Amino acid sequence: MRSQPSTAVTLLESRESADAGAVLSRAFQTDPLWVATIRDPERRPELLARVFSGLVRTTIAAKGIAEKTSDLTGVALWHPPERDLGVCAMVRSGLALPRSVMSLPRRDRKRMLFSLRQIGARRKALMPEPHWYVAALGVDPEVQGQGLGSVLMAHGMARADRDGRPIYLETETERNVGFYRRFGFDVVEEFIPEGLNVPMWLLARRGSSSGL
C-alpha cells in the first residue's frame, strides 16, 4: 500500500524534468484536449511525457517557477508576469520543447500547434495586463483526491498575491472549474478551439492588490 503523499512544496530541478514530465503525462492522459490531439492511446503516455518534460525544462530555463510535492507526485508550472517562454529560453533548454513537439506524429503535431496558437491568442486578448500563468498543474492519478493539487495551487497563489498580480489558466475538464472557483477564479470565457470539438474554460483570479 502506498504511503501518504508529502504535502511539502519544493522547486523542481532540471535533472528531474523527465520524472516531472511522466507525472504530468499520467495526470493528463484522459484530458479531453490531449485525447483529441494525440489520437493513439497506446503512444499517448510516451509522447505526452516528452512534451511535458520539454515544457518543464523550458519553464526552468525561462526562470519560471517549476514546483513539485517533495515526493514528486504533483507538479505545477507557473510563468511569471511578462516572462513567457521565448527563443532564449528554448535555446538554454537545449531546444527541449521544440524537439519534443517534433517527435509527435505529423497530424498530432499540426493539431497541437494550431490549437495552442488559438489558446494563446485568447489569453492575450483576455489578459493584456501582466499576470501569472498556470501552464500546468497535475497530480499522479494514484494519489489524486488527497489534496495535493490544492496544496500546489495555494502555494502559487500566495506568491501571486504577494506580487499583487492576477492569475490566468485554462482547463478542458468541467469538474476542474469548481475546483478553481473555490480558489477565487472566475470563468472569463468558454471557448472551443477551431478543429477540435473540445470545450475549454478560461479562468482568471484577480488578486486583492491588483486593483482590477
Side-chain angles (χ1 to χ4, degrees), residues 2 12 30-31 57 93-94 102 105 115 122 126 131 133 151 156 172 174 182 189 195:
R2 188 165 186 152
L12 268 165
T30 59
D31 181 275
R57 286 184 181 277
S93 72
M102 290 304 297
S115 63
R122 294 314 304 145
L126 293 168
H131 60 276
Y133 176 57
V151 169
E172 304 82 51
E174 188 170 10
R182 291 198 296 274
E189 184 173 282

Side-chain angles (χ1 to χ4, degrees), residues 14-156:
S14 187
R15 61 180 175 80
E16 299 175 299
S17 296
D19 290 337
V23 169
L24 290 171
S25 174
R26 291 191 292 272
F28 284 90
Q29 277 304 296
T30 59
D31 181 275
L33 181 64
W34 291 109
V35 169
T37 301
I38 303 176
R39 301 289 176 86
D40 186 344
E42 292 186 1
R43 294 200 65 197
R44 192 181 304 128
E46 169 203 354
L47 294 172
L48 201 48
R50 289 183 192 174
V51 171
F52 278 122
S53 177
L55 180 59
V56 172
R57 286 184 181 277
T58 310
T59 296
I60 293 172
K63 302 188 185 306
I65 309 294
E67 295 179 321
K68 61 172 182 173
T69 54
S70 58
D71 59 358
L72 226 175
T73 53
V75 174
L77 304 179
W78 296 76
H79 296 171
E82 301 178 310
R83 196 178 294 171
D84 279 338
L85 308 182
V87 174
C88 291
M90 298 285 183
V91 172
R92 284 196 298 270
S93 72
L95 301 179
L97 189 55
R99 288 177 189 274
S100 68
V101 172
M102 290 304 297
S103 73
L104 297 176
R106 182 173 177 272
R107 289 184 178 180
D108 292 352
R109 183 171 67 249
K110 288 182 67 176
R111 279 191 293 267
M112 189 186 84
L113 293 175
F114 185 50
S115 63
L116 289 180
R117 280 195 293 269
Q118 296 176 68
I119 294 166
R122 294 314 304 145
R123 176 188 167 198
K124 185 175 181 180
L126 293 168
M127 298 293 289
E129 72 271 31
H131 60 276
W132 286 86
Y133 176 57
V134 186
L137 189 151
V139 174
D140 195 305
E142 288 190 12
V143 293
Q144 286 179 6
Q146 299 186 34
L148 297 182
S150 295
V151 169
L152 287 163
M153 175 55 67
H155 192 83

Side-chain angles (χ1 to χ4, degrees), residues 148-171:
L148 297 182
S150 295
V151 169
L152 287 163
M153 175 55 67
H155 192 83
M157 279 173 42
R159 181 174 48 242
D161 284 346
R162 289 192 298 270
D163 193 34
R165 300 292 191 180
I167 308 171
Y168 178 82
L169 57 84
E170 307 103 359
T171 184

